[in-house]
């Protein structure tokens, strides 16, 4: 009889044990959902640097100690293109009901690397003077020979940037084969190798002009190799950079059925940014940049 009385209690303990083991573990607040690798061309306008700027960047330069009173300052309004690469992880947040992870927003965190020009400047002058005349024995035409002497200085400040990259992304249906995404992001970091480069070039040549002033011949080689060239490179202090950007892109899932390839994505992404670089020897440079390129994304879950 005592054994029978213990059966209900033992049954209750066993059932309780199995029910506890079958309870689902609570979802974590956040989870790493994917890993991304992105590479693209970075375009920006060159910032025009003055002689005073580069004398501050390279005070030990021998080339910049020359007299430049006869050199006009050239205005540079070109653009430069550099390669940038980013490695990031995607983080999803748990919903309020603690039942699943939300598809939007997705937090991306990682690092990016880029290198390129920040400031550029140049000065040049040229002198053209009559050198001689030639008279044709057949036609009696008179040809003038002009001698030219040109000198130019080109100056560049560039660096390699390593920055933290964080962005908040929103995308259309992540279960679809194709999806569109957009968001906002920031980067912040330091330069790895900041340097200033100064190049001096001198050319001399002779030009022959016909009776109407048309160009006929030059004594220079057609490759126009410089007759004299000097080059300097100077290390600079570590600079600090920050940017705010807006990304926009298109995502494509490689497969739907295969377990591995259904988690692999290719994506195109374009970024429009406002970039700030604080140069210790000078000031803070503000620039507008545009980057676009391709990336791969591997999802740790099926989304």
């Amino acid at each position: 009889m005592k054994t029978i009385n213990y059966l209900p209690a033992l049954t209750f303990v066993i059932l309780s044990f199995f029910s506890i083991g079958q309870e689902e573990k609570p979802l974590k607040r956040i989870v790493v959902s994917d890993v991304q690798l992105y590479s693209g061309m970075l375009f920006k306008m060159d910032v025009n640097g003055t002689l005073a700027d580069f004398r501050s960047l390279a005070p030990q330069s021998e080339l910049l100690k020359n007299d430049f009173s006869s050199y006009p300052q050239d205005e540079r309004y070109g653009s430069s293109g550099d390669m940038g690469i980013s490695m990031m992880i995607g983080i999803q947040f748990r919903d309020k009901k603690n039942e699943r992870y939300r598809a939007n927003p997705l937090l991306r965190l990682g690092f990016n690397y880029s290198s390129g020009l920040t400031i550029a400047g140049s000065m040049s002058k040229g002198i053209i003077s009559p050198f001689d005349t030639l008279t044709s024995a057949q036609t009696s035409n008179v040809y003038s020979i002009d001698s030219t002497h040109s000198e130019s200085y080109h100056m560049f400040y560039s660096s390699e940037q390593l920055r933290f990259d964080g962005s908040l992304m929103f995308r259309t249906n992540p279960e679809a084969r194709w999806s569109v995404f957009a968001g906002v992001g920031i980067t912040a970091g330091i330069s790895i190798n900041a340097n200033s480069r100064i190049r001096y070039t001198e050319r001399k040549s002779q030009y022959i002009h016909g009776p109407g002033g048309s160009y006929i011949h030059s004594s220079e080689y057609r490759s126009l190799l410089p007759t004299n060239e000097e080059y300097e490179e100077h290390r600079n202090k570590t600079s600090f950079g920050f940017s705010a950007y807006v990304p926009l892109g298109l995502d494509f899932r490689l497969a739907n059925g295969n377990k591995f390839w259904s988690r692999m994505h290719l994506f195109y992404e374009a970024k429009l940014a406002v970039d700030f670089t604080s140069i210790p020897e000078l000031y803070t440079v503000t620039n507008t940049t545009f980057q676009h390129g391709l990336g791969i994304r591997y999802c740790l879950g099926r989304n």
Side-chain angles (χ1 to χ4, degrees):
M1 295 294 296
K2 290 183 178 180
T3 303
I4 296 176
N5 292 334
Y6 288 141
L7 285 178
L10 183 59
T11 302
F12 175 78
V13 171
I14 294 174
L15 292 176
S16 299
F17 175 80
F18 280 106
S19 62
I20 293 174
Q22 293 175 355
E23 286 183 0
E24 294 184 1
K25 294 181 179 180
L27 295 178
K28 297 179 180 180
R29 189 178 298 272
I30 60 174
V31 66
V32 176
S33 61
D34 59 59
V35 180
Q36 303 181 24
L37 178 64
Y38 168 80
S39 179
M41 288 297 297
L42 178 66
F43 300 93
K44 57 186 176 181
M45 297 297 295
D46 294 342
V47 175
N48 192 47
T50 64
L51 174 61
D53 291 339
F54 282 94
R55 280 177 168 169
S56 297
L57 289 168
Q60 67 275 41
S61 170
E62 294 296 327
L63 290 174
L64 297 185
K65 291 179 181 179
N66 295 330
D67 181 14
F68 293 95
S69 57
S70 60
Y71 285 79
Q73 178 79 39
D74 295 339
E75 295 291 337
R76 294 177 55 92
Y77 295 101
S79 61
S80 58
D82 310 296
M83 183 63 70
I85 185 170
S86 300
M87 296 184 65
M88 295 170 289
I89 60 172
I91 297 176
Q92 287 182 298
F93 299 93
R94 186 182 63 194
D95 66 2
K96 294 182 179 179
K97 296 181 179 180
N98 298 335
E99 295 177 349
R100 60 185 181 86
Y101 291 105
R102 292 183 292 173
N104 289 305
L106 177 76
L107 177 64
R108 296 194 312 190
L109 298 176
F111 294 92
N112 72 44
Y113 167 86
S114 64
S115 63
L117 194 64
T118 303
I119 303 176
S122 64
M123 298 173 294
S124 60
K125 69 174 183 178
I127 300 175
I128 302 176
S129 55
F131 178 74
D132 201 353
T133 58
L134 297 175
T135 303
S136 172
Q138 296 178 346
T139 63
S140 298
N141 290 333
V142 178
Y143 298 87
S144 62
I145 304 176
D146 292 337
S147 175
T148 65
H149 180 204
S150 63
E151 296 178 275
S152 61
Y153 290 81
H154 297 277
M155 304 165 289
F156 308 96
Y157 172 83
S158 59
S159 66
E160 300 173 61
Q161 293 280 329
L162 181 62
R163 297 186 182 184
F164 164 81
D165 191 336
S167 56
L168 199 62
M169 308 298 294
F170 298 85
R171 66 178 65 246
T172 57
N173 183 12
E175 295 294 333
R177 192 78 180 267
W178 293 87
S179 63
V180 178
F181 60 90
V184 292
I186 60 170
T187 70
I190 60 173
S191 64
I192 301 174
N193 180 26
N195 64 82
S196 297
R197 292 168 287 129
I198 298 96
R199 185 185 300 276
Y200 166 74
T201 306
E202 178 187 29
R203 285 192 176 99
K204 295 179 181 179
S205 61
Q206 293 176 353
Y207 294 89
I208 301 176
H209 297 273
S214 59
Y215 163 77
I216 296 178
H217 175 72
S218 171
S219 63
E220 276 192 319
Y221 293 105
R222 291 192 177 184
S223 58
L224 295 179
L225 292 174
T227 56
N228 183 31
E229 188 173 74
E230 296 181 46
Y231 177 81
E232 293 179 348
E233 183 171 342
H234 306 276
R235 292 293 300 269
N236 289 107
K237 297 178 182 179
T238 298
S239 62
F240 301 89
F242 171 83
S243 71
Y245 66 90
V246 176
L248 177 66
L250 181 66
D251 184 282
F252 173 69
R253 185 195 309 278
L254 294 184
N256 278 327
N258 184 277
K259 184 177 181 180
F260 175 81
W261 292 109
S262 65
R263 297 188 178 190
M264 186 68 72
H265 296 241
L266 293 179
F267 66 92
Y268 167 83
E269 182 172 332
K271 302 178 184 178
L272 182 63
V274 178
D275 188 87
F276 306 89
T277 304
S278 178
I279 303 174
E281 297 91 342
L282 291 179
Y283 42 74
T284 298
V285 174
T286 304
N287 211 333
T288 301
T289 68
F290 174 75
Q291 183 178 15
H292 73 110
L294 299 174
I296 57 175
R297 182 169 70 97
Y298 183 76
C299 295
L300 304 179
R302 178 63 169 86
N303 53 32

